[in-house]
């Protein structure tokens, strides 16, 4: 009988060892993240796949490291909870669910698990499952463990709730009570802390999703403006004489036709030039030169604006999207501003007498797109501050 028992145990150990043997797909992970990184850069991996993963690579590795750190902590908390009569009945269930959340987070972080063109969505989903595991661990932790976690939880609650918020006040009272000697935590206080911390984390994810939505809207608008600017350049290059950017100043009783890329004198010069003469003086590159000047001015404005925008650890490039928006805006505001001047909309500036003046005003109008995009800049910075909580927003308001 004993021999049969020993043989059965050896058979189970052999099966377990066989099941734990790494497969071909798991080999790169077991050999280290460097091997996985090299595999993604190899010829077998599509170029688009490796490129879209390199951006948030640090955040992904940080989440994987955090999961690896939480797994042994969860096991230790479960063993201590099983020895506690007050938490023994829920320890196994909560620990199993927390492990399931961590496993889901690891599966989401795999390179093939997220959809194409959603470059950072897998990070947000994985973070949500990690946060869920952390909330479940609050039910497993002892009073001493919760005391150790109090600074982190209070910081999270203080960042997401206003000073006079009842939940923030109640969390502070529970923290003061726990810091007293030989104090314990009741089931209701444990439930309140778990629920409040969970709500704070959901608020952070909500603000993060708002940042992602904002970036996508800005990029869509920027691409639409870019298409409009390109269409304007193509149409005006093909039909350059339909809407001329030329001016007809009078100097010493003589009229001249001044265009962005050249000038001419009507015949006779003492009479105002006709519409046909103005249209014949236009050049194909008139609008293109003006748009280039507007884009250059807008790029300078974008560089000047970046100094006022704080960087972010989020995987969504808010400053880059805002800077990209300014370029097509400058390409459109430059010719539109000159058309307003040519139509006499700005008194006293309806007759520019040199091509240099036209290009100079194109640069001014290209930079003037800042009058419109500065409101978008302010909204982007406000969203970034909201992710970091009320204190960050107040500090940014006090020191803009």
């Amino acid at each position: 009988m004993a021999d049969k028992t020993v043989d059965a145990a050896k058979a189970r150990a052999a099966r377990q060892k066989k099941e734990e043997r790494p497969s071909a797909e798991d080999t790169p992970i077991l050999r280290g993240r460097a091997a996985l990184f090299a595999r993604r850069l190899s010829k077998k991996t599509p170029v688009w796949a490796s490129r879209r993963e390199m951006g948030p690579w640090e955040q992904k590795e940080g989440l994987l490291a955090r999961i690896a750190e939480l797994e042994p902590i969860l096991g230790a908390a479960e063993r201590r909870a099983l020895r506690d009569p007050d938490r023994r009945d829920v320890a196994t269930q909560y620990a199993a669910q927390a492990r399931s959340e961590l496993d889901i987070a690891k599966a989401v972080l795999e390179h093939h698990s997220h959809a194409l063109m959603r470059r950072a969505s897998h990070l947000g989903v994985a973070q949500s499952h990690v946060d869920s595991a952390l909330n479940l661990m609050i039910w497993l932790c002892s009073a001493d463990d919760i005391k150790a976690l109090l600074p982190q939880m209070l910081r999270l609650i203080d960042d997401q709730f206003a000073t006079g918020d009842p939940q923030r006040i109640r969390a502070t009272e529970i923290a003061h009570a726990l810091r007293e000697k030989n104090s314990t935590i009741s089931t209701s206080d444990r439930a309140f802390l778990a629920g409040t911390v969970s709500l704070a984390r959901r608020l952070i994810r909500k603000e993060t999703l708002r940042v992602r939505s904002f970036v996508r809207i800005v990029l869509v608008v920027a691409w639409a403006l870019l298409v409009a600017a390109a269409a304007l350049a193509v149409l005006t290059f093909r039909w350059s004489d339909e809407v001329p950017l030329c001016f007809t100043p009078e100097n010493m009783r003589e009229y001249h036709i001044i265009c962005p890329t050249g000038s001419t004198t009507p015949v006779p010069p003492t009479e105002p030039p006709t519409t046909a003469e103005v249209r014949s003086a236009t050049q194909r590159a008139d609008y293109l030169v003006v748009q280039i000047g507007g884009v250059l001015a807008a790029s300078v404005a974008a560089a000047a604006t970046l100094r006022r925008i704080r960087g972010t650890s989020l995987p969504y490039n808010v400053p880059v999207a805002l800077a990209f928006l300014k370029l097509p805006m400058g390409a459109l505001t430059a010719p539109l501003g000159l058309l307003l001047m040519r139509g006499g909309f700005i008194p006293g500036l309806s007759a520019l007498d040199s091509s240099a003046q036209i290009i100079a005003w194109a640069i001014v109008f290209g930079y003037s797109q800042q009058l419109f995009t500065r409101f978008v800049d302010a909204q982007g910075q406000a969203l970034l501050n909201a992710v970091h909580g009320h204190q960050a927003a107040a500090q940014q308001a006090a020191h803009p």
Side-chain angles (χ1 to χ4, degrees):
M1 184 69 181
D3 295 338
K4 292 182 178 180
T5 304
V6 172
D7 293 339
K10 290 181 178 179
R12 285 196 300 269
R15 286 196 302 269
Q16 184 178 4
K17 185 176 181 180
K18 183 178 180 181
E19 291 175 356
E20 293 178 353
R21 185 174 299 169
S23 61
E25 295 179 356
D26 297 334
T27 301
I29 299 177
L30 297 177
R31 289 180 179 176
R33 299 190 183 105
L36 182 60
F37 182 72
R39 181 186 174 189
R40 288 173 181 170
L41 293 182
S42 65
K43 295 181 180 180
K44 296 181 180 180
T45 302
V47 177
W48 56 264
S50 61
R51 284 182 178 176
R52 70 188 176 102
E53 189 64 22
M54 284 183 184
W57 179 263
E58 293 84 358
Q59 287 93 338
K60 174 182 175 179
E61 291 300 310
L63 280 173
L64 288 174
R66 180 58 174 162
I67 292 171
E69 179 184 1
L70 288 176
E71 286 175 340
I73 295 176
L74 175 60
E78 180 185 10
R79 289 190 294 271
R80 289 196 297 268
L82 289 174
R83 292 193 296 266
D84 188 349
D86 296 333
R87 295 177 288 132
R88 184 181 302 166
D89 54 343
V90 298
T92 303
Q93 180 181 359
Y94 283 152
Q97 184 61 36
R99 287 194 181 90
S100 176
E101 295 294 332
L102 293 178
D103 291 338
I104 294 174
K106 287 191 293 185
V108 169
L109 289 175
E110 290 297 327
H111 189 269
H112 54 78
S113 299
H114 54 283
L116 178 64
M117 300 304 292
R118 294 186 179 180
R119 183 172 175 268
S121 59
H122 60 305
L123 297 178
V125 173
Q127 184 64 58
S128 299
H129 289 288
V130 172
D131 291 343
S132 179
L134 288 171
N135 294 333
L136 291 169
M137 288 176 63
I138 295 178
W139 290 94
L140 298 174
C141 293
S142 63
D144 293 334
D145 294 335
I146 292 181
K147 287 180 184 179
L149 296 175
L150 273 178
Q152 178 183 357
M153 290 190 291
L154 289 180
R155 175 62 183 272
L156 185 63
I157 294 172
D158 292 345
D159 285 344
Q160 298 303 318
F161 295 96
T163 304
D165 192 281
Q167 291 177 290
R168 179 173 175 176
I169 296 174
R170 177 61 179 155
T172 305
E173 292 174 353
I174 294 175
H176 286 316
L178 276 175
R179 290 191 181 104
E180 295 179 359
K181 188 176 181 180
N182 297 327
S183 61
T184 58
I185 181 170
S186 63
T187 303
S188 61
D189 290 342
R190 188 187 296 270
F192 179 83
L193 283 178
T196 305
V197 171
S198 177
L199 178 58
R201 291 193 173 107
R202 290 198 302 271
L203 291 175
I204 293 176
R205 290 197 297 270
K206 178 182 176 181
E207 297 299 333
T208 303
L209 291 177
R210 290 182 62 192
V211 172
R212 185 183 70 178
S213 176
F214 174 79
V215 170
R216 289 181 177 177
I217 292 173
V218 170
L219 290 177
V220 168
V221 173
W223 279 107
L225 293 175
L226 181 62
V227 170
L232 179 64
V234 172
L235 293 176
T236 54
F237 188 84
R238 175 63 179 83
W239 296 283
S240 59
D241 57 347
E242 293 298 328
V243 186
L245 281 179
C246 301
F247 294 82
T248 57
E250 180 185 6
N251 186 16
M252 303 295 292
R253 297 183 179 181
E254 290 186 357
Y255 290 92
H256 301 276
I257 303 176
I258 308 298
C259 299
T261 57
S263 61
T264 185
T265 303
V267 180
T270 55
E271 296 181 4
T274 63
T275 303
E277 290 177 329
V278 174
R279 296 180 62 176
S280 63
T282 59
Q283 302 293 328
R284 289 181 179 270
D286 285 348
Y287 272 85
L288 184 60
V289 170
V290 169
Q291 285 184 300
I292 291 175
V295 169
L296 294 177
S299 62
V300 174
T305 305
L306 289 178
R307 66 180 179 86
R308 296 195 300 268
I309 298 180
R310 293 174 53 190
T312 175
S313 59
L314 297 177
Y316 311 108
N317 282 324
V318 179
V320 174
L322 294 175
F324 178 58
L325 176 65
K326 298 178 187 297
L327 302 184
M329 279 288 291
L332 291 174
T333 55
L336 291 178
L338 289 175
L339 288 176
L340 290 176
M341 291 182 63
R342 187 173 182 273
F345 186 79
I346 303 177
L349 293 176
S350 58
L352 303 181
D353 51 15
S354 69
S355 299
Q357 286 188 4
I358 296 177
I359 296 175
W361 277 104
I363 294 174
V364 171
F365 285 124
Y367 195 93
S368 67
Q369 51 77 35
Q370 189 66 23
L371 297 175
F372 307 99
T373 57
R374 66 187 183 93
F375 299 105
V376 185
D377 297 339
Q379 179 65 18
Q381 187 60 63
L383 289 175
L384 290 178
N385 293 335
V387 174
H388 299 290
H390 295 278
Q391 294 181 355
Q395 292 176 359
Q396 181 65 20
H399 304 283

